[in-house]
Amino acid sequence: MRTLHRPAATIAAAILGLSLVGCASDPAETPDDETGGDSTASVYEFQTNGVEPSSEVTVRVPDDLREVMGADAGGLVIDQIVVTAHELEDAQYCAADLSMNYLGNQPLDMIAANDNPTDRESAVQTFINRIPNSGVDDEASVIEWLDSAIEADIANGYSESDIADSFEKLFGTPADLENDTYLSPYQDGDTGQDVFDRYVGSASDEQAPGTTIVAESLGLDDAHPQTDLDESAPESGTYVSEDYTTITVVGDCAASATDPDNAIAIELPSVDADGKSSAAATVEFSVMTDGTIGVAGEVKGYMRDANDNWITN
């Protein structure tokens, strides 16, 4: 039976890619090239043949692609991301520090443009969508409908289990997510408010914090402030600094630098004038326990021709 979960906020935003990096390792030194310090093997600009795995990877949209993109390039949020190893005291996980270089007033503009419904608003909408031919359109009318449904069922001689079953058929089984247990939708003496609260739980009526918006725009969930990271007993997740310029990602390590099963896929979106986003590219990172990072990706709508020039696809 389908459970009415508290929905997570869905964020439409635009940020470049990232990865996980090996746990307890010293980043290998990479040679400087003639352009001012970047190793050619560690700068990924969606080259046809990729780049060699490295202990530090810089991902950026190349200038020649931005020129071909024209006005659409103005919607990019990130100029580049530099990914380096983050050593943890616990060898169970790998971690990476992402140094974010934003464009313009990002990510503040992206955060300000977030108008997605809150968790509570999403829960109310679920009730509205599932109550047939009722005319309910907000939280108060949902609770009023539940009160009326309970009164009618009691008047018709329905038992506690009968009423609970009727709500389950409409809304699924409510869950206590904190304790990972299912709840009965109805108990004797419940009001409509009681039933509503049992389904909605502690769903927040506040917009998602900036840390969540930034993390989810990268395709990552389980966002936390960076100060929550416990180096000695880390938990997988995304840890975002207060100014959004550093993001630490903790997770499993890849078996090789080309391990697709443990690669992290990231969308690189572009935002329009209203702050709405669409994916411009995807980037995948595979990470080994020695800190080696493998990277691959593709740009949506564009490709390199035989002469390595960007053309529309």
Side-chain angles (χ1 to χ4, degrees):
M1 191 164 293
R2 186 175 180 182
T3 301
L4 181 65
H5 292 288
R6 286 175 284 173
T10 304
I11 308 302
I15 296 190
L16 238 150
L18 78 150
S19 79
L20 294 179
V21 186
C23 320
S25 64
D26 294 326
E29 297 203 8
T30 53
D32 290 346
D33 65 10
E34 298 177 356
T35 61
D38 284 329
S39 164
T40 57
S42 66
V43 179
Y44 183 66
E45 295 185 328
F46 300 92
Q47 294 92 326
T48 301
N49 296 323
V51 295
E52 290 295 322
S54 174
S55 61
E56 178 178 307
V57 173
T58 298
V59 178
R60 61 190 179 207
V61 176
D63 291 339
D64 55 347
L65 174 55
R66 299 188 196 201
E67 184 176 350
V68 173
M69 292 175 68
D72 290 341
L76 295 174
V77 173
I78 296 293
D79 185 27
Q80 68 176 28
I81 297 177
V82 179
V83 186
T84 54
H86 183 110
E87 185 174 349
L88 299 171
E89 297 176 26
D90 187 328
Q92 179 180 359
Y93 291 111
C94 295
D97 285 332
L98 283 64
S99 178
M100 314 292 292
N101 186 358
Y102 297 99
L103 291 167
N105 197 41
Q106 300 292 0
L108 300 181
D109 288 346
M110 176 184 69
I111 294 170
N114 173 49
D115 59 359
N116 291 288
T118 66
D119 285 357
R120 193 173 188 88
E121 289 170 342
S122 296
V124 170
Q125 189 60 49
T126 300
F127 273 100
I128 292 172
N129 293 341
R130 296 186 184 182
I131 296 175
N133 304 319
S134 62
V136 298
D137 57 6
D138 58 18
E139 181 173 328
S141 59
V142 167
I143 294 171
E144 183 178 349
W145 183 92
L146 292 170
D147 279 327
S148 298
I150 292 170
E151 292 175 5
D153 286 348
I154 292 174
N156 289 326
Y158 288 3
S159 67
E160 176 182 340
S161 61
D162 291 335
I163 299 174
D165 288 344
S166 68
F167 286 143
E168 278 198 345
K169 289 178 181 178
L170 278 177
F171 310 121
T173 307
D176 181 346
L177 300 182
E178 293 183 1
N179 296 312
D180 196 25
T181 58
Y182 289 104
L183 305 172
S184 173
Y186 174 82
Q187 299 174 8
D188 279 339
D190 276 354
T191 64
Q193 183 72 62
D194 295 326
V195 173
F196 180 85
D197 290 343
R198 194 167 289 120
Y199 276 101
V200 176
S202 58
S204 174
D205 199 28
E206 298 180 357
Q207 287 288 349
T211 52
T212 298
I213 295 172
V214 170
E216 291 190 352
S217 69
L218 286 165
L220 301 169
D221 54 14
D222 200 17
H224 310 273
Q226 196 170 52
T227 52
D228 286 355
L229 176 60
D230 186 345
E231 303 278 350
S232 61
E235 296 183 359
S236 62
T238 307
Y239 300 85
V240 184
S241 67
E242 187 175 358
D243 63 359
Y244 316 116
T245 60
T246 302
I247 299 173
T248 301
V249 185
V250 179
D252 296 328
C253 299
S256 72
T258 57
D259 178 4
D261 294 331
N262 291 296
I264 297 177
I266 305 299
E267 288 190 350
L268 194 172
S270 177
V271 294
D272 61 20
D274 297 323
K276 304 301 181 183
S277 68
S278 59
T282 58
V283 182
E284 290 188 348
F285 293 86
S286 300
V287 181
M288 299 178 66
T289 57
D290 66 352
T292 301
I293 309 166
V295 59
E298 64 177 356
V299 180
K300 295 185 178 180
Y302 298 91
M303 62 181 291
R304 291 184 185 269
D305 64 15
N307 295 319
D308 213 30
N309 297 314
W310 287 101
I311 59 174
T312 56
N313 183 9

